[in-house]
Amino acid sequence: MFWGNRKTLKMNYFPDEVLEHVFDFISSHKDRNSVSLVCKSWYKIERYSRQRVFIGNCYSISPERLIARFPGLKSLTLKGMPHFADFNLVPHDWGGFVYPWIKALAKSRIGLEELRLKRMVVSDESLELLSKSFLNFKSLVLVSCEGFTTDGLAAIAANCRFLRELDLQENEVDDHRGHWLSSFPESCTSLVSLNFACLKGEINLGAIERLVARSPNLKSLRLNRAVPFDTLQKLLMQAPQLVDLGTGNFVHDPSSEAYNKLKSAIQRCKSIRSLSGFLEVAPHCMSAIYPICANLTFLNLSYAPGLHGNDLTKLIQHCRKLQRLWILDCIGDKGLGVVASTCKELQELRVFPSDLIGAGNAAVTEEGLVHISAGCPKLNSLLYFCQQMTNAALITVAKNCPNFIRFRLCILDPQKPDPVTNQALDEGFGAIVQSCKGLKRLSLSGLLTDQVFLYIGMYAEQLEMLSIAFAGDSDKGMLYVLNGCKKLRKLEIRDCPFGNEALLEDVGKYETMRSLWMSSCEVTLGGCKTLAEKMPSLSVEIINEIEQMEFSLDDMQKVEKMYLYRTLVGHRKDAPEFVWIL
Amino acid sequence: MEGSVAYENDLNLEATELRLGLPGTDEREEQTVSNVRNNKRPLQVADEECGANGKSNTQNETAPHAKAQIVGWPPIRSYRKNNFQPKKSECEGPGIYVKVSMDGAAYLRKIDLKVYTGYPELLRALENMFKFTLGEYSDREGYKGSDYAPTYEDKDGDWMLVGDVPWEMFITSCNRLRIMKGSEARGLGCGV
């Protein structure tokens, strides 16, 4: 980059320290990435001062290059498997191993303090190596990961002397029922956040009581199912400063002494703003938490079995300051009406189905969503599993709530049309994308034709992530999206009639995106090969079902699962047998 | 809560329709909405129930019948699928309502057995409802230490002591409850 005359060189007269100080104020990854592109000296200053790095696809870059570029790295976020792995569409052992990253970081001089992983395979070996390699390690967050046991957690507890955060969210952990909690030494008093709600086994109750008692900075505590009501009460007595609480077993007898003790303990917890758990609960138990409802901003009852609609609404009527609500569809349309009239500050709503095998018995319909949209104008994030949806309702929702950033609708019966008009839901979703100019994430469902994609391509200018299932009529649908959505980063498609023509029309587009997933579509092996040939900067993976080892090399054969992503480091070396990288 | 749902029942879809082209032109043809799309059927697994209907996946089905499972649908995280244990509740079916009588009480009550997770809960609830206390339960001696004993009439018409059989068996075989008092109750405790 050339500067013309001396007058415009003023910025470069600032010493590096000044620029570094200025860059300190720039925290978003996107902005820091932009800063590094301005000129060589800015690139240099930025990379030495960068402490936090986010890598959305662990196969897009190598640990060695990360370490070389950012020697000051303190916090690393890594994501592994593609999103559809959440729904069992990606076989186990596909990849996403964190071990090579930890090994490389351990060998380097990087003083890692924080590691956040999503959808990665984390072995006990990795956790042990992590725990022993970084003196100042403070924070481990694992989301939807697998491959480790409580032995690995014991290593973290035992060796990370300054551990502040151990946050386990929805991981599949092999619980050896060992005393991992007891592995926290007596000298460990630094915990700020401890979340082990996803562990299935028993824990040492004495150990958790002592740990909480010696952790004066503890702000967030989420317990697992094995922690009984009595223990909860004791823990709350030790930690009245809690801001975020996840209960374990919340079954109690309202006339018991334990209940009264808990009520008084909870009343002392004036800082609790976030509440979750209730992994075991019965309706009459919820009155214990009424005293803290008034200040709650986040309430997650989506794992609480056995609460009827009435119980839920009685509770929610106390929660006037709620900003985020995760709930089961037992609440019903009427219950959502109560939410709409009570929770005026609501920004995020997630309604999960209580009938998990998808037999189509969701207890909420478009009515509930319309109530919410009418009562909660600040709504910007939605995940809604429902029985049915109408265009009219979506159009109304779009009018009432133009601020959606995330809009994910799942009608349990795929390809279900508007039940009133029997039409596709194109117009409804079209209204959403047209009205919500800031929409970044969209998931579609119901009966949809190419038309909806035309609307998305035309209006969804900020869209970054799109999930499509059982929709569209032809390649045109996919092309509308690829041509129109300039900011698209992740596109995931299943069971749609999109084929080679759509895939190959603009191969350069995929370099501007993080990844593309297509399964049960019309793309063929030949089409994928062509793409791989034209775009060496992409990794095009064909994921076969393990039974399909006799996969023929016929180019005309339709590909069951294709996952492609841009990468700076070529094809990965750790792919299993059933993954072909073209 | 506001009564009427605030959205247009009168579907003025044309006015809100998103279109390409100049206003006044009508380029859109009638969309024939079809479910048949290049053999992309969502039901990729054999489905007995649908078969009985003669057609699968028609637009006109009204009653949601049990569908076969499509892999990865609905899109719920497998963690949630594996770890959530929905209780039998309003969401999934009617409750098991049984009458409860107590010797000496003026009128009967009714409770939903599905609401409770086990005997301790049920008994505490009964104690609360009728304001009495039960003794300690033991296999051999029944409820010792109080004037009361909870009993139920089973499907055979026999009066049984509450607590002897596994909970699941109890709630499916219980027709009505009776809280016995006095000598009759004490009689039940003496190892019949």
Side-chain angles (χ1 to χ4, degrees), chain A residues 57 59 514-515 537-539 541 563-567 572:
Chain A
N57 174 7
Y59 290 119
R514 184 189 297 174
S515 63
S537 60
L538 298 179
S539 210
E541 297 192 5
Y563 178 55
L564 66 83
Y565 47 89
R566 66 181 175 192
T567 171
R572 61 183 174 119

Side-chain angles (χ1 to χ4, degrees), chain B residues 14 21 76 141 184 189:
Chain B
E14 263 202 298
I76 302 169
E141 300 183 73
E184 235 188 317

Side-chain angles (χ1 to χ4, degrees), chain B residues 89-150:
Chain B
S89 67
E90 241 166 46
C91 315
E92 280 182 44
I96 302 177
Y97 283 89
V98 297
K99 288 182 188 174
V100 188
S101 62
M102 168 135 142
D103 294 352
Y107 49 82
L108 277 60
R109 302 296 302 269
K110 223 169 192 184
I111 58 172
D112 176 4
L113 292 178
K114 273 193 167 187
V115 159
Y116 306 105
T117 55
Y119 286 120
E121 242 191 284
L122 168 65
L123 297 175
R124 299 301 155 257
L126 291 174
E127 285 176 328
N128 278 333
M129 203 179 244
F130 291 99
K131 306 285 178 262
F132 72 104
T133 31
L134 286 165
E136 277 294 309
Y137 172 79
S138 73
D139 276 335
R140 282 181 49 237
E141 300 183 73
Y143 292 87
K144 240 181 78 167
S146 96
D147 272 350
Y148 299 93

Side-chain angles (χ1 to χ4, degrees), chain A residues 25 47 50 69 95 100 107 110 124 144 148 206 208 224 236 256 274 313 385 394 400 421 426-427 478 503 537 560 563:
Chain A
F25 292 99
R47 68 177 262 253
R50 178 104 107 181
R69 181 169 168 191
K107 265 202 258 171
I110 299 255
D124 281 347
S144 295
F148 61 103
I208 183 71
N224 75 345
L236 290 179
S256 70
S274 161
T313 49
F385 286 84
L394 283 174
N400 291 339
T421 63
D426 303 334
E427 299 306 313
M478 185 167 165
L503 182 70
S537 60
E560 206 29 60
Y563 178 55

